[in-house]
Amino acid sequence: MSTGGRTLVAERGGALGGSLRVPGDKSISHRAVMLGAIADGTTVVDGFLGGADNRATIAAFRALGVAVEGPDENHRVVVHGVGRDGLRAAEGPLDLGNSGTSMRLLAGLLAAQPFDTTLTGDASLTRRPMRRVTEPLATMGAVIETGAEGTPPLTIRGGRVLTGIDYALPVASAQVKSALLLAGLYAQGTTRVTEPAPTRDHTERMLAGFGYAVERGDGWAAVTGGGRLTAAEVDVPADISSAAFFLVAASIIPGSELVLEHVGVNPTRTGVIEILCLMGADIREENPREVGGEPVADLRVRAAELHGIDIPEALVPLAIDEFPVLFIAAAAARGTTRLTGARELRVKESDRIQVMADGLNTLGVVAEPAEDGITITGGPLGGGRVASHGDHRIAMAFAVAGAVADAPVTITDCDNVETSFPDFAGAARAAGLAVREAGPDEY
Ligand code: S3P
């Protein structure tokens, strides 16, 4: 996809050093607004990620009649909850921009409201598969119209009575699990979701933090409808998915030693650390603590010689958003890295297997895509011009590649970096990376 917009240039610089707190966790920020909106009372969220995706969630709830203040310059958001039955019909379609999480979770949350809602998004989001949520929601009694091919826009018909289901997810997806649990808050009886492999459990943890009982067992979570949520204080940790760019950069740039502060290290998110450590990385968790039901630590990363591995399939859902930059680690490593069991990467903000393979090939790296993964042979990286296809994580991954390439790497279509990491280039420079916006003659 081409969205146009900014071009970034990344070049070889020096070692990374010092300490850095990357912006707040995107998944947790979305959920804090959603649960705060339907809770009784006022929810205060600190460390909120003010990126475009989370702003789209805030705008959606404002349109549904919820007063939301912020985010202010201290990353605080205040959500004045309207209670479980207080949402009001929006006047027009809700535009969720690039945000798959907003769309899928809202589909569940809005499935049992008394009014209709239409959800839409940008060119990338309107190509993404939504039947994975609309089909199980229909089994609960929801009526949701999709475009041809099961893609957005979604029109959710109001006034439906939902009944809890016992659902086994066909793919490991926290978005689908969360959509069903949120619908389950409004359903008669119990909604139980079983997952084929562990996925991020922020919804389960945060529901508990808002005083809503969540039953959990080995590979499943369940809620019983009809209860109420009580407003809470949410302290959002730094996003491990944003920290990942620096974990890889500091690992592959000789002489680096960097501390990433206050990073969320929920075990359903730490696959990136496990994979990098299997490749020989030197990453230590310091000052482990728990903040609002989520584990947090400072991550100290030192440069190390990485080597290729066969990535264990069990780690794939635990690192699902970090593969673009893990592929850069693989390109900079000695030997061959093989990823399998990761077909989901083809339906993210872009087809991350193909787009990364194309970009790596442009930089002279041998990267062979497969239907469900990729094989990457480590070796020297050259410079060149790569297309991010409007995918924030592809753009930032190639910015890391530029730091070890023989010549500058120019990355096009970078506006969507703002969806998850506002001022990425500024943070990257503060850590020591040579990343800048292209001048007019470099486009
Ligand atoms: C997310 C879940 C993941 C992830 C996405 C955020 C969430 O998607 O890729 O960026 O907040 O629940 P899937 O659940 O579809 O894998």
Side-chain angles (χ1 to χ4, degrees):
M1 183 188 74
S2 178
T3 53
R6 262 169 299 170
T7 295
L8 290 177
V9 180
E11 296 169 87
R12 213 179 255 262
L16 303 196
S19 57
L20 177 69
R21 179 166 171 165
V22 299
D25 188 277
K26 182 154 72 74
S27 294
I28 297 175
S29 296
H30 281 304
R31 287 156 171 81
V33 173
M34 294 180 187
L35 298 193
I38 57 165
D40 298 314
T42 301
T43 288
V44 178
V45 190
D46 282 309
F48 187 85
L49 172 62
D53 279 12
N54 295 111
R55 287 178 186 273
T57 291
I58 289 181
F61 279 95
R62 285 186 179 136
L64 293 163
V66 182
V68 184
E69 297 169 55
D72 66 14
E73 63 282 2
N74 298 317
H75 311 288
R76 172 169 283 198
V77 165
V78 179
V79 186
H80 297 277
V82 294
R84 56 167 280 134
D85 300 314
L87 298 177
R88 297 286 167 259
E91 277 175 16
L94 303 180
D95 184 351
L96 302 168
N98 196 243
S99 179
T101 307
S102 307
M103 184 167 291
R104 296 199 177 113
L105 271 59
L106 274 173
L109 185 58
L110 297 175
Q113 300 295 330
F115 49 82
D116 294 357
T117 312
T118 297
L119 307 179
T120 189
D122 71 6
S124 157
L125 182 54
T126 51
R127 278 206 300 257
R128 295 182 65 186
M130 293 296 149
R131 284 199 183 117
R132 52 181 60 199
V133 282
T134 59
E135 285 179 355
L137 288 170
T139 312
M140 295 175 77
V143 174
I144 304 179
E145 292 152 22
T146 68
E149 318 288 330
T151 50
L154 303 182
T155 296
I156 305 162
R157 295 295 172 196
R160 312 294 304 181
V161 175
L162 302 192
T163 310
I165 53 169
D166 199 335
Y167 187 69
L169 292 176
V171 285
S173 166
Q175 292 180 350
V176 180
K177 173 179 65 173
S178 300
L180 300 181
L181 293 176
L182 293 174
L185 303 180
Y186 291 91
Q188 294 176 342
T190 298
T191 300
R192 201 169 96 115
V193 187
T194 305
E195 44 189 9
T199 67
R200 66 192 70 194
D201 63 357
H202 306 303
T203 304
E204 296 92 307
R205 286 173 187 254
M206 201 184 287
L207 278 170
F210 278 73
Y212 205 100
V214 181
E215 266 189 279
R216 299 185 69 177
D218 192 13
W220 61 268
V223 295
T224 298
R228 299 190 73 87
L229 282 72
T230 307
E233 287 182 7
V234 183
D235 184 336
V236 182
D239 198 328
I240 191 168
S241 298
S242 296
F245 301 103
F246 298 99
L247 292 177
V248 171
S251 294
I252 64 178
I253 300 172
S256 298
E257 176 168 352
L258 183 67
V259 176
L260 293 152
E261 294 169 343
H262 204 70
V263 181
V265 287
N266 179 319
T268 60
R269 296 286 299 280
T270 46
V272 60
I273 298 177
E274 290 180 60
I275 292 168
L276 285 171
C277 288
L278 288 172
M279 296 176 79
D282 178 354
I283 301 171
R284 283 166 213 199
E285 289 188 19
E286 297 179 346
N287 307 317
R289 52 208 183 263
E290 192 167 298
V291 179
E294 290 280 350
V296 169
D298 302 321
L299 302 179
R300 182 179 296 276
V301 51
R302 294 189 180 90
E305 288 263 316
L306 301 189
H307 55 82
I309 60 165
D310 288 352
I311 297 174
E313 287 194 8
L315 293 179
V316 169
L318 310 181
I320 193 68
D321 290 337
E322 288 70 68
F323 284 106
V325 77
L326 281 169
F327 295 171
I328 304 301
R334 196 167 18 88
T336 300
T337 296
R338 279 178 216 87
L339 173 68
T340 54
R343 193 181 306 266
E344 277 294 295
L345 294 181
R346 292 201 176 268
V347 291
K348 293 294 178 188
E349 286 85 328
S350 70
D351 176 345
R352 287 183 173 163
I353 292 176
Q354 192 59 49
V355 171
M356 284 302 300
D358 292 345
L360 285 169
N361 291 160
T362 301
L363 302 185
V365 175
V366 179
E368 293 163 72
E371 191 42 43
D372 72 336
I374 195 166
T375 300
I376 297 169
T377 307
L381 277 84
R385 184 182 178 85
V386 296
S388 75
H389 290 258
D391 184 329
H392 54 140
R393 299 201 199 281
I394 303 273
M396 291 184 275
F398 280 111
V400 173
V404 291
D406 297 336
V409 174
T410 300
I411 311 142
T412 59
D413 284 354
C414 293
D415 276 0
N416 280 339
V417 167
E418 296 299 315
T419 61
S420 67
F421 202 146
D423 195 26
F424 165 73
R429 281 194 295 273
L433 286 174
V435 180
R436 59 181 170 80
E437 277 199 40
D441 51 337
E442 290 176 299
Y443 269 73

